[in-house]
């Protein structure tokens, strides 16, 4: 739904790439943008040390999340 609105707004500038996560003209997201958004979200939920590796989230097996009531993450 959000991407449909972006596509309509971009008009003829929209690139039909087929990406699920795309920028405002349908092209791929820059790695820097993905990384910085991930770090911002991770910190906002109390996981500032979470890492993003090749699209996988790595949190650390012995770490406890403050909201986990003592259960390891």
């Amino acid at each position: 739904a959000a991407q449909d609105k972006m596509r309509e707004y971009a008009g003829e500038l929209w690139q039909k790439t087929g990406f699920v996560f795309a920028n405002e003209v349908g092209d791929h997201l820059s790695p820097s943008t993905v990384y910085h958004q991930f770090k911002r979200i991770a910190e906002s939920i109390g996981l500032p040390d979470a890492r993003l590796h090749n699209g996988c989230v790595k949190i650390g097996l012995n770490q406890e999340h403050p909201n986990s009531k003592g259960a390891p993450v």
Side-chain angles (χ1 to χ4, degrees), residues 18-35:
F19 291 129
V20 174
F21 301 103
N23 66 15
E24 51 281 332
V25 292
D27 201 5
H28 67 86
L29 296 172
S30 77
S32 177
T33 298
V34 173
Y35 173 79

Side-chain angles (χ1 to χ4, degrees), residues 5-64:
K5 289 179 184 178
M6 289 171 49
R7 185 181 308 115
E8 185 179 325
Y9 185 74
E12 63 184 47
L13 295 175
W14 185 261
Q15 300 175 36
K16 291 184 179 182
T17 59
F19 291 129
V20 174
F21 301 103
N23 66 15
E24 51 281 332
V25 292
D27 201 5
H28 67 86
L29 296 172
S30 77
S32 177
T33 298
V34 173
Y35 173 79
H36 290 295
Q37 290 295 325
F38 171 80
K39 291 303 281 184
R40 182 184 62 77
I41 292 167
E43 183 150 348
S44 76
I45 63 169
L47 295 171
D49 296 330
R51 295 183 289 166
L52 186 62
H53 292 281
N54 298 326
C56 299
V57 176
K58 195 171 201 175
I59 296 175
L61 298 176
N62 295 325
Q63 218 176 8
E64 287 185 11

